[in-house]
Amino acid sequence: MEHINAPYLRALASGQQVLVKPPYDDEFIPLFDASSTALAALLRPSTIVNPGIWEFKVKGNKDDE
């Protein structure tokens, strides 16, 4: 079974920039400019209460924009 956030983890591993939209925010920001909770939601969503409220996308990926 593939990790739910595998596409974003692969993007990070290949050097692409992953953007995150924190809960109740209107804009995507770079993952590493966000809180540590954003990284936890990406790596271990099962440890976060309601991980679905975090949105991720890969910068420049038309499928995610």
Side-chain angles (χ1 to χ4, degrees):
M1 175 182 236
E2 185 173 68
H3 190 283
I4 191 166
N5 290 327
Y8 308 113
L9 297 172
R10 280 194 293 274
L12 277 177
S14 70
Q16 294 177 287
Q17 186 174 33
V18 173
L19 304 174
V20 60
K21 187 165 116 177
Y24 316 111
D25 204 339
D26 295 334
E27 296 183 19
F28 281 90
I29 59 173
L31 177 65
F32 294 111
D33 289 347
S35 70
S36 59
T37 306
L39 189 56
L42 179 67
L43 296 174
R44 299 187 63 195
S46 63
T47 64
I48 303 298
V49 175
N50 198 2
I53 61 175
W54 293 86
E55 294 181 48
F56 298 96
K57 71 178 186 178
V58 177
K59 185 173 185 179
N61 188 349
K62 292 184 190 269
D63 293 338
D64 282 333
E65 292 186 24

